[in-house]
Every structure is written in C-alpha cells, then in structure tokens.
Amino acid sequence: MIALPPATQWALSEDFFAWMREVDARFSTYRDDSEINRVDRGELRPADGTPDLRAVLDTCAHLWRATDAYFDVYATGRLDPSGYVKGWAAEVASARLAAAGSTNHFINAGGDVRVRGHSATGRPWPIPLRHPWDPDGAFLVLAGTDLAVATSGTYARGFHVVDPRTGRPARELRSVTVAGPDLGLADAYAYATAAVAMGRPGLRWLAGLPGYEVVVVTEDGEGFTSPGLPVVPVEEAVG
C-alpha cells in the first residue's frame, strides 16, 4: 500500500474540514443565518438556494415517500434535515477524497462510518458496533473495503427519534444499524432513523431494502441481523 505524500495528505485534510464547515454553515439548525433556517423562516425559497440545498431537500422528499413518511424533516415541527445531512456530508467528503487519490480512508462522522480501500494492515477496515447497553464495548464488528455504516438508536441520546404519525418519541427499538453503499441513505433509513421511528414494524421494512444489510436490537434485548451482513470475528478484526 503506497501512502500519499505528507503535503497531499495535509491538503486533503484541509479540504475535508473546509467542506464540513461549509455544510455546517449551510445546514446547521443552530445557526440563525444558515440556509436551512432561512428556508424554515420563509426568508429563502428552496428554488433560490444553493445546488446542495436543493439536492438535499429533493432527496429528503424522496425519502419521505420511500419510508411512508416515517423519515420526515418536519417531524419536530420545524425544517430539520439533519437525519440525512450528516451521512450525506460524509459520503460527499469520501467521494472527494477518493477522486483526489485517497483511495484508502476511514471517516467517522459522529458514529456514522464511511470506509474505502484497506487499513494499514492491508485488510478490510474493521468497524465495531457499539454495544447498546455498554458504551465501552462492541457487540459486533463489521468489515468492508467500500462500505457505509450508520446507526440510530436510543442508547446515546435517549428517546430522541420522533414518530411523525403520533408526535411522540419512538420507544421499541434500541439500536438500528444499516450498512450499504451510501451513508446518506443508510443514515436516513436509518434508512436507520426511519426504522427507529417505525418501531417493530420497521423490521419487515428493513428486510426489503435492496443493497443494504441491517442489525436491529430491541429495547427488550432481542437481536436481528440480515443474512448478508459483513460480520467478522473480533480476533480477525484486531489481529
């Protein structure tokens, strides 16, 4: 495995963080001057926004339809596409890194992961999944060379995912992990966020997602995995 020159690595890291700052400035719901808040207040029409804003809102509209309205950017009563934006931003950053020559990288965006290529050991990147009840442990390890892994659940932030049909927090699923080719979609479906909002009926919906594999843990401790999940033994991942 050939490492990129240090100067190239530095330039790519600067570009990565510049992109993330740009995304924050545009989509943060905590910044009064962000594009998304201006749209929410009616000060900016989506059609007059930046191409990224329009693309994100278009995809969120598609996700609303694809999830039978369980992924809803208005679930909290205001415009908030954060359930898609975090994964989308990391997916774009990964594509930019790959296009610039960084074909081996691991991005962790607040617990959502995008990997390409191989680790320094020459093996596929190991991706541990946090244990739903033990914050210092992992209960499964995935591995991949071109893989997006997103997790949504209640173990870190409490019952923060709202069921848009009832307006109340979803309480049946403790953890939903979705692995597949696109981090923005994996994050939103939870395909994981939508699945948590659905509760147990989300298990059947997740099973029908083409190209994605899932891990689900319920609040009462039951576990479900799809047959194609790229699980590796812990010994192999750390060996």
Side-chain angles (χ1 to χ4, degrees):
M1 186 181 301
I2 301 175
L4 294 173
T8 302
Q9 294 183 39
W10 176 261
L12 291 178
S13 67
E14 288 292 294
D15 179 73
F16 174 88
F17 288 112
W19 164 246
M20 289 302 187
R21 288 191 294 269
E22 181 182 336
V23 170
D24 182 68
R26 190 169 294 157
F27 293 101
S28 174
T29 58
Y30 299 100
R31 299 176 62 134
D32 286 341
D33 61 346
S34 69
E35 269 193 293
I36 206 68
N37 277 341
R38 291 172 61 205
V39 171
D40 187 50
R41 293 192 299 263
E43 299 169 2
L44 176 68
R45 296 191 311 158
D48 296 330
T50 60
D52 282 339
L53 175 74
R54 298 196 301 271
V56 163
L57 294 181
D58 285 348
T59 301
C60 287
H62 163 75
L63 289 167
W64 182 82
R65 294 187 294 270
T67 63
D68 198 19
Y70 277 99
F71 179 84
D72 188 349
V73 294
Y74 287 100
T76 60
R78 60 173 297 184
L79 177 60
D80 183 1
S82 301
Y84 172 70
V85 166
K86 182 177 71 169
W88 164 80
E91 183 69 32
V92 172
S94 176
R96 289 168 61 149
L97 286 171
S102 177
T103 54
N104 301 294
H105 60 255
F106 184 115
I107 296 174
N108 187 329
D112 294 336
V113 172
R114 184 64 165 96
V115 300
R116 292 182 192 262
H118 298 79
S119 70
T121 66
R123 296 179 177 180
W125 290 101
I127 307 166
L129 303 186
R130 176 179 163 176
H131 195 287
W133 283 275
D134 179 3
D136 296 323
F139 74 107
L140 282 177
V141 180
L142 308 185
T145 58
D146 186 4
L147 188 65
V149 179
T151 299
S152 184
T154 63
Y155 55 80
R157 297 169 55 193
F159 298 107
H160 69 286
V161 176
V162 174
D163 180 343
R165 298 190 174 188
T166 65
R168 296 190 295 270
R171 296 177 176 271
E172 292 185 337
L173 304 184
R174 187 166 182 85
S175 174
V176 175
T177 296
V178 178
D182 185 286
L183 188 55
L185 296 181
D187 201 10
Y189 287 145
Y191 269 133
T193 301
V196 170
M198 291 178 190
R200 281 184 174 270
L203 293 171
R204 181 182 296 274
W205 178 79
L206 285 167
L209 289 178
Y212 290 83
E213 304 295 336
V214 302
V215 184
V216 179
V217 179
T218 67
E219 281 291 344
D220 54 7
E222 291 186 274
F224 304 87
T225 61
S226 59
L229 194 72
V231 179
V232 295
V234 173
E235 298 79 10
E236 179 180 326
V238 300

